Amino acid sequence: MSIEIREECHDDIAAVRDLNRQAFGQDQESNIVDVLRANEAALLSLVATVDDRVVGHIMYSPAVVGDNITGAALGPMAVLPEYQRQRIGSKLIKAGNRKLKDAGCPFIVVVGHADYYPRFGFRPASKHRIKCEWDVPDNAFMLLVLDQAKMESVSGLAKYRHEFSSIS
Ligand SMILES: CC(C)(COP(=O)(O)OP(=O)(O)OC[C@H]1O[C@@H](n2cnc3c(N)ncnc32)[C@H](O)[C@@H]1OP(=O)(O)O)[C@@H](O)C(=O)NCCC(=O)NCCS
């Protein structure tokens, strides 16, 4: 199986919407993706393709920590159910990490499975005295530092884009 990771283009939008709906079993994540994109708040949107079919997607939007340090929030991300557990999600995350680091992004935050994201370098954000704006378990809110120097004395509340709280 040949998996390609590339930036999302306009023709992918319907397939991305459909795969998010299938993976999550509801429309909320698809709606958030569509509104972030429409509001030009998608820092990075990558798709995974197999034989030119879009089977996976990851989106990053701006997150602000502390006084005013802007990094990236990972999510939503999804892989079509029949393509899960074949490392497609891993490839999307690794490509996203690399692209954001190359772009000078200082950090990535994620709310997610505590046994999935640590394999990509994410650690509980509480270790950096960074808190989530939502009430989530400590080990479910994780941080990946991409630029140690910029993050040296950064702590405080991490704020996501408003679309995450306003879109259902
Ligand atoms: C989470 C998701 C994107 C992972 O994509 P994937 O291509 O299946 O992931 P990979 O193949 O790279 O990694 C598989 C590993 O992820 C872990 N994993 C996958 N889904 C998981 C889940 N729901 N809970 C816990 N761990 C999970 C497993 O440990 C698995 O490892 P294993 O195969 O050795 O058991 C995919 O399962 C998905 O779309 N899930 C539904 C939507 C979702 O929950 N998105 C994430 C929150 S934004």
Side-chain angles (χ1 to χ4, degrees):
M1 187 170 75
S2 169
I3 302 160
E4 191 198 339
I5 308 292
R6 60 166 173 77
E7 296 213 12
E8 178 198 89
C9 64
H10 188 264
D11 286 351
D12 300 324
I13 289 176
V16 165
R17 182 169 178 84
D18 183 59
L19 82 85
N20 273 289
R21 187 193 287 122
Q22 285 198 47
F24 287 101
Q26 58 181 29
D27 282 330
Q28 185 179 19
E29 289 77 11
S30 306
N31 294 342
I32 289 173
V33 164
D34 283 349
V35 175
L36 286 171
R37 189 192 295 109
N39 291 349
E40 297 185 356
L43 272 183
L44 180 64
S45 189
L46 300 175
V47 294
T49 63
V50 173
D51 298 332
D52 290 331
R53 180 184 180 197
V54 176
V55 300
H57 173 253
I58 191 166
M59 184 173 271
Y60 298 83
S61 55
V64 179
V65 170
D67 288 340
N68 208 5
I69 303 291
T70 302
L74 186 168
M77 79 166 290
V79 172
L80 274 178
E82 64 267 35
Y83 285 91
Q84 290 176 10
R85 303 214 153 185
Q86 296 175 63
R87 300 285 173 256
I88 293 172
S90 299
K91 283 179 190 283
L92 283 165
I93 293 172
K94 285 178 186 165
N97 288 355
R98 203 168 44 244
K99 279 178 180 286
L100 289 169
K101 189 177 168 80
D102 290 349
C105 179
F107 69 86
I108 304 173
V109 285
V110 65
V111 175
H113 305 297
D115 51 357
Y116 185 56
Y117 295 96
R119 66 186 76 175
F120 309 106
F122 288 86
R123 298 286 175 264
S126 59
K127 290 195 188 309
H128 297 262
R129 292 180 295 117
I130 292 174
K131 284 181 60 174
C132 187
E133 64 177 302
W134 305 305
D135 186 20
V136 295
D138 184 75
N139 64 355
F141 183 57
M142 292 163 271
L143 176 86
L144 174 66
V145 174
L146 297 177
D147 186 329
Q148 193 68 50
K150 279 190 203 159
M151 295 302 288
E152 207 60 58
S153 55
V154 176
S155 61
L157 198 64
K159 291 197 183 137
Y160 276 63
R161 286 279 306 193
H162 63 85
E163 291 85 347
F164 284 92
S165 305
S166 57
I167 303 297
S168 55

